[in-house]
Amino acid sequence: MTASRRVYQSLRQRIVEMRMLPRERIVERDIAEEFGTSRTPVHEAVLRLADEGLIEVVPRSGTFVARIPLDGLEQAMLVRDALETAIIEKAATRATPGCVDRLRAILAQQEAAIESGDLHAFHRTDELFHSTLAELSGYPGVWPIIAQAKIQVDRYRQLTLPLAGRMQEVLKQHRDVLDAVASGDPARAAQAMHEHLDRVLPVLEITRKLRPEFFTAQLGPR
């Protein structure tokens, strides 16, 4: 793995998991020292993250972790809902007992993350559950498209997980999705997935009021 890709992947994960917060200053020199590399691969990684809307480069001001664009969240969820409801119909027709057991094991990990209070582990098992459904559908190439489309949603969701009962609610929805897949009924599976995804954005207003400085109406200058 190149130094540029290593820096890119690490910074991207930190930003998505909100371990680097919106408006936090990015100092390329410090990052280069952390990774034991020159500033060139760091700069390349920063530019790539800027292209993805995760970093803002502001002339004569500096480089910052981007705020979350409110106007992009609904669009991202429209894309996600369309693709995930389509692939889960396929997954429901292909699911074997072994596939179902594999998904149940992932949800057991997610429950363990709730019990330990590990928000990042919860999010990672969430990603694993959905990506595994895409794999089982026979269309694994769809997941990278979904993952890229929902990158800003992932950041927003990190803020919702600490809300009282939120992780338990998501786990219950995942179990409903899994039960629908296990039933072998494509329509039921698609409906369960739609209902699950439809509950992502309603808590946005609560989250935005708690941390208004993390959001912006659109991508652009700070």
Side-chain angles (χ1 to χ4, degrees), residues 61-142:
S61 181
T63 302
F64 305 86
V65 175
R67 288 177 291 176
I68 301 170
L70 289 172
D71 60 354
L73 299 180
E74 187 172 355
Q75 295 179 60
M77 289 308 300
L78 284 173
V79 172
R80 184 175 185 184
D81 184 69
L83 292 176
E84 289 213 61
T85 53
I87 62 176
I88 201 169
E89 289 181 337
K90 301 292 185 182
T93 65
R94 295 165 55 95
T96 64
C99 294
V100 172
D101 287 345
R102 183 177 167 192
L103 291 165
R104 290 198 194 285
I106 294 171
L107 295 189
Q109 294 175 36
Q110 192 162 55
E111 185 173 23
I114 294 175
E115 292 173 354
S116 65
D118 191 335
L119 274 62
H120 298 316
F122 181 90
H123 179 72
R124 289 170 192 151
T125 52
D126 189 298
E127 292 288 284
L128 182 59
F129 179 72
H130 284 271
S131 63
T132 301
L133 284 169
E135 177 189 337
L136 297 179
S137 76
Y139 295 91
V142 174

Side-chain angles (χ1 to χ4, degrees), residues 36-47:
T37 186
S38 69
R39 290 181 61 178
T40 298
V42 174
H43 187 65
E44 291 172 351
V46 165
L47 291 179

Side-chain angles (χ1 to χ4, degrees), residues 21-42:
L21 298 176
R23 302 175 69 93
E24 183 175 329
R25 184 179 290 274
I26 303 292
V27 182
E28 293 185 10
R29 179 185 63 255
D30 293 347
I31 295 171
E33 290 178 0
E34 176 188 348
F35 286 89
T37 186
S38 69
R39 290 181 61 178
T40 298
V42 174

Side-chain angles (χ1 to χ4, degrees), residues 1-12 31 35 37-49:
M1 182 185 297
T2 66
S4 177
R5 182 164 183 79
R6 183 163 54 92
V7 174
Y8 162 78
Q9 289 184 342
S10 179
L11 293 182
R12 189 180 193 276
I31 295 171
F35 286 89
T37 186
S38 69
R39 290 181 61 178
T40 298
V42 174
H43 187 65
E44 291 172 351
V46 165
L47 291 179
R48 185 174 176 185
L49 291 165

Side-chain angles (χ1 to χ4, degrees), residues 53 67-73 152 155 214-219:
R67 288 177 291 176
I68 301 170
L70 289 172
D71 60 354
L73 299 180
Q152 298 291 358
R155 300 175 71 203
F214 286 173
F215 296 89
T216 184
Q218 59 185 2
L219 289 172

